[in-house]
Amino acid sequence: MEEINIIMDLKCYSGRRASLSESSLFILAYIFVLTDFFFFFPEGYRLTGLFYYITISFAVLFALLSQITYSGIINKVFFWSSFGILFFVLGFRDVSGIDDATYREIFENVNRNGVIATFLFSTMEPGYLVLNYLVGSLTDNYYLFQILCTFIPLFLFYKGFEKYRNYISIPWAVLLLISTLYFQMLAVSLVRLFIAVGIIFYFLDTLWTCKTRKYIFIVFLAASIHYSALIMGMFVILTFHEKILFRYWKKLILGAVLFLPFIFMGVSRFAASSMGDRYLRYTEVSGFSLSLGALDTLPFLLFSLFYKRLIPPVKRGFYLVAVVMLAMSSVCALFSTMVPLGRVIFYMNLSLLLLLPAVIRYARNGWFKTGVGCLIIVYAILYLFVTQFLNESQMENL
């Protein structure tokens, strides 16, 4: 018995040492890359950039500390402190991005005219209108509604990280969330989309655990907040039986390449006939064209496929789901040149929050971990520069 205890102590010590080593490499790589990128920040916005870099750094640092001390109250304090930083900055902002005036108008219309009248006039998502009405029945303060609409998706993401902690390395997932989604909300204010994506992320496990009815319900719930979530219905086939995922995932990807163009055109026609003027820009079908920008996730797909072997077979189901989703992201990006349905890619790109952090979690080689970590950091910062910091119209809202 004493020998077993000694072995367990040694394993725990070894695990802590590996975790601390990974953390040290993470911090060094992060500081190095961040410092280099800061000098390329637009000169007139460097103070703004510094504020957001500090926000990002502390949110990721607390997520990192929560992983090192994953037991007891200390872990919870660090983990939810990471959430608190992001929630405070986004929830208590004065202007909710480019679309702020539109969302304020929706809030006032619902509480002046009611849910049914607003829906008949605008065909806007009924779930979102009901949420406006419920908050409006308690207060006419739009900022309180803004705070709630920030809390719901961020809370779902962090609860998702907590749920998937045995699959992924949390600080890397937090960094990818910040770079790919969080700043879109700050600069553009995709409030409905953010809530819908948060719902889908938290319940992604219904795919690899084959809970068909629950998954269908979740897709419709998310679609009641933003219609774009209906695109996730095409993954319901994965829930019918686990053999479909493990045996036929390659054929599913091939099928998507063949049939998605027709799905996109069908969605476009439905939007044109049923959803009013608000969705007219999604109905313009044009010729197919190829651009490098549409292939930005393809390297990550190839990388994830190559390192699939690192994932233990008993946990490979979640990884294969994420691989299929990322493949769909690449396919959707290609065909969105025909029909401008680019926002559906936000759902598919949730796979990045699982795949890359999973590779880091299960990799054994320290230098390999560092290399993948640097890849994630460079991608995250570059993504922010291209989509936000070098985009002057959006930078004004930051």
Side-chain angles (χ1 to χ4, degrees):
M1 191 67 181
E2 185 177 349
E3 290 179 356
I4 293 175
N5 289 335
I6 291 172
I7 291 171
M8 292 299 293
D9 288 342
L10 286 172
K11 286 183 177 180
C12 290
Y13 174 75
S14 176
R16 285 195 299 270
R17 186 173 61 183
S19 182
L20 287 170
S21 175
E22 177 188 341
S23 303
S24 300
L25 293 170
F26 174 90
I27 292 170
L28 288 173
Y30 185 82
I31 292 173
F32 175 76
V33 175
L34 206 60
T35 303
D36 283 351
F37 272 99
F38 184 73
F39 289 105
F40 293 97
F41 208 86
E43 192 168 345
Y45 294 105
R46 282 192 176 172
L47 188 60
T48 302
L50 180 61
F51 169 76
Y52 284 117
Y53 278 157
I54 291 172
T55 300
I56 295 169
S57 300
F58 274 99
V60 174
L61 176 62
F62 283 131
L64 179 65
L65 292 173
S66 75
Q67 184 162 283
I68 295 173
T69 59
Y70 199 80
S71 61
I73 191 65
I74 297 176
N75 158 260
K76 297 290 185 183
V77 169
F78 282 134
F79 183 76
W80 291 108
S81 293
S82 174
F83 163 83
I85 290 169
L86 297 182
F87 168 64
F88 181 82
V89 171
L90 184 59
F92 291 87
R93 66 200 182 280
D94 180 43
V95 177
S96 180
I98 295 170
D99 293 337
D100 182 66
T102 302
Y103 283 109
R104 183 187 293 272
E105 184 179 350
I106 294 167
F107 181 75
E108 293 170 354
N109 284 341
V110 170
N111 291 286
R112 182 172 56 249
N113 304 318
V115 172
I116 296 176
T118 306
F119 174 75
L120 293 174
F121 174 75
S122 65
T123 67
M124 184 164 284
E125 293 80 354
Y128 180 71
L129 296 179
V130 169
L131 185 61
N132 275 267
Y133 179 78
L134 291 175
V135 176
S137 64
L138 300 173
T139 176
D140 61 355
N141 190 329
Y142 170 73
Y143 286 106
L144 292 178
F145 179 69
Q146 177 179 284
I147 291 168
L148 179 65
C149 286
T150 299
F151 177 83
I152 292 172
L154 269 180
F155 180 76
L156 288 171
F157 271 105
Y158 268 78
K159 288 299 290 183
F161 293 149
E162 203 170 43
K163 184 196 288 191
Y164 308 138
R165 64 182 180 271
N166 293 325
Y167 300 102
I168 63 174
S169 181
I170 291 176
W172 301 101
V174 170
L175 179 60
L176 287 166
L177 167 67
I178 292 170
S179 61
T180 58
L181 268 171
Y182 182 76
F183 271 84
Q184 290 288 337
M185 309 310 128
L186 275 167
V188 185
S189 185
L190 306 175
V191 173
R192 291 171 298 132
L193 181 70
F194 198 30
I195 297 173
V197 170
I199 292 171
I200 293 294
F201 180 75
Y202 180 75
F203 290 102
L204 274 178
D205 59 323
T206 56
L207 282 172
W208 64 81
T209 55
C210 298
K211 296 177 180 176
T212 305
R213 292 180 181 177
K214 188 174 181 180
Y215 181 73
I216 293 172
F217 172 77
I218 292 306
V219 168
F220 278 106
L221 176 63
S224 76
I225 304 297
H226 201 283
Y227 292 131
S228 61
L230 288 172
I231 195 71
M232 294 301 291
M234 67 180 176
F235 293 106
V236 71
I237 190 174
L238 299 178
T239 67
F240 295 160
H241 199 286
E242 63 179 10
K243 289 182 181 179
I244 294 175
L245 177 63
F246 282 91
R247 292 184 181 180
Y248 304 114
W249 61 273
K250 294 178 183 177
K251 292 181 180 179
L252 291 172
I253 294 173
L254 178 61
V257 174
L258 297 175
F259 293 109
L260 266 180
F262 302 102
I263 294 175
F264 269 40
M265 285 187 281
V267 170
S268 172
R269 289 175 182 173
F270 175 75
S273 62
S274 306
M275 294 188 174
D277 295 340
R278 216 161 36 92
Y279 292 92
L280 279 178
R281 63 193 178 93
Y282 298 127
T283 66
E284 301 171 0
V285 179
S286 59
F288 177 78
S289 62
L290 182 64
S291 67
L292 291 177
L295 300 174
D296 64 327
T297 58
L298 185 59
F300 294 111
L301 175 62
L302 298 176
F303 176 87
S304 300
L305 286 171
F306 185 79
Y307 287 106
K308 178 169 64 71
R309 56 189 170 79
L310 293 176
I311 311 302
V314 294
K315 293 185 177 180
R316 200 165 286 171
F318 94 95
Y319 194 84
L320 289 177
V321 164
V323 164
V324 172
M325 285 178 61
L326 189 58
M328 295 302 105
S329 173
S330 298
V331 175
C332 287
L334 284 174
F335 293 126
S336 65
T337 59
M338 297 171 55
V339 181
L341 296 173
R343 287 186 178 180
V344 302
I345 295 173
F346 283 114
Y347 298 96
M348 319 298 175
N349 284 353
L350 291 174
S351 55
L352 289 173
L353 277 61
L354 297 177
L355 289 172
L356 300 181
V359 170
I360 286 186
R361 178 178 178 82
Y362 290 106
R364 300 297 180 190
N365 186 290
W367 287 108
F368 176 76
K369 284 177 180 280
T370 306
V372 178
C374 287
L375 174 69
I376 293 175
I377 294 170
V378 170
Y379 174 76
I381 302 301
L382 269 177
Y383 192 95
L384 283 178
F385 264 80
V386 172
T387 61
Q388 309 300 333
F389 297 149
L390 296 181
N391 187 333
E392 194 163 341
S393 63
Q394 294 187 188
M395 190 63 193
E396 288 289 339
N397 290 288
L398 295 176

